[in-house]
Amino acid sequence: MQIRPAKIGALSIVLGALVVLVLDLYTAWQTPSHLRRTISEYGLGAQQWVFSIGVVLLAFGSALTLASALRHRLTRPASAASICLTLWTVGLVAVVAVPKQDWSNNASLSLGGSIHRLGAAVAFVSIPIAVFAFSRPWIRDGLWVARARITLGLSMLSVVTLLPIVYALAVGATGSRPWYRVVTLGYVERVLVVAEVIALISLAVWVWAAERRSLDSVESEEIKASQPV
């Protein structure tokens, strides 16, 4: 039985997303106001281990997806897609490894808080670029045109959901109001994360399809070679 990294990667991404989604829905059912807070605040509470499992699964699945995409030549190692998908994965690991700043205990931003914030920012910005850059070269390819166009469209949707945060940062930089109070960050972040993860799943399923096609081709050649002449 052959190991299928793209399949494992896609399933890991879906499972990780479901873990965080169920955690968020359960918490929202108990305390609806929690949705106003950022998702990474789960890293400070009793559900930290659940949140960490979900994010680690996302990072692990993303890494396997990239490795399989490179193996099947869907992208190149030095491409924007590969670099940004790597940054997304590293950003997720940083979010888990370094918890969010606990403002209730420390009013000034710590080194750990800065690393966490940087990791989250890098992850949020990198994945739409990665998915877009991955899809763009394939939109006229006869074999992958449908998957490429769907995935490209989802990447553009991710960019749109990022715009409220860009607007908040611009307002915060030009005015006296803190950027995180310009919008309800918890709501905006959740819409952004949902859009980005859907785009990532589309990409992962595409790579999985390429893996299946490659393995079926190999099996077909092996069957032909085993037939008596």
Side-chain angles (χ1 to χ4, degrees):
M1 181 178 179
Q2 291 181 316
I3 297 176
R4 302 192 176 195
K7 178 180 180 179
I8 298 172
L11 293 177
S12 295
I13 290 170
V14 171
L15 181 58
L18 286 175
V19 167
V20 178
L21 176 62
V22 170
L23 171 62
D24 207 35
L25 290 175
Y26 174 78
T27 305
W29 178 264
Q30 301 293 322
T31 312
S33 61
H34 189 85
L35 291 177
R36 299 176 64 89
R37 303 176 184 176
T38 61
I39 300 173
S40 57
E41 285 203 21
Y42 287 119
L44 299 175
Q47 304 98 339
Q48 178 183 8
W49 65 276
V50 181
F51 173 74
S52 296
I53 288 174
V55 177
V56 168
L57 283 171
L58 281 171
F60 177 68
S62 299
L64 287 180
T65 296
L66 175 57
S68 186
L70 292 171
R71 179 183 179 185
H72 298 293
R73 299 182 180 179
L74 292 172
T75 189
R76 299 186 308 276
S79 66
S82 296
I83 293 170
C84 288
L85 194 53
T86 300
L87 289 174
W88 154 263
T89 304
V90 172
L92 291 180
V93 172
V95 166
V96 172
V98 185
K100 180 181 179 178
Q101 174 85 19
D102 187 353
W103 296 105
S104 63
N105 295 328
N106 190 353
S108 59
L109 186 62
S110 65
L111 176 60
S114 298
I115 294 174
H116 177 94
R117 181 178 290 183
L118 178 61
V122 167
F124 284 149
V125 173
S126 295
I127 194 60
I129 299 174
V131 177
F132 180 89
F134 189 99
S135 307
R136 183 67 181 82
W138 298 96
I139 58 173
R140 289 183 174 85
D141 180 80
L143 179 61
W144 302 119
V145 58
R147 291 186 184 276
R149 290 182 176 180
I150 291 171
T151 307
L152 183 70
L154 290 171
S155 72
M156 296 176 70
L157 177 62
S158 298
V159 172
V160 171
T161 61
L162 190 60
L163 293 179
I165 294 180
V166 175
Y167 167 75
L169 290 169
V171 171
T174 56
S176 58
R177 192 177 183 186
W179 72 271
Y180 50 83
R181 296 191 182 279
V182 175
V183 296
T184 305
L185 198 55
Y187 295 154
V188 171
E189 186 184 72
R190 280 165 174 81
V191 173
L192 170 62
V193 168
V194 168
E196 291 189 339
V197 170
I198 289 174
L200 176 63
I201 290 173
S202 178
L203 188 151
V205 171
W206 175 3
V207 176
W208 182 7
E211 181 183 69
R212 291 200 308 271
R213 186 173 184 275
S214 177
L215 291 175
D216 289 344
S217 178
V218 170
E219 289 175 0
S220 178
E221 291 297 326
E222 290 177 348
I223 291 172
K224 288 180 181 180
S226 66
Q227 298 296 325
V229 179

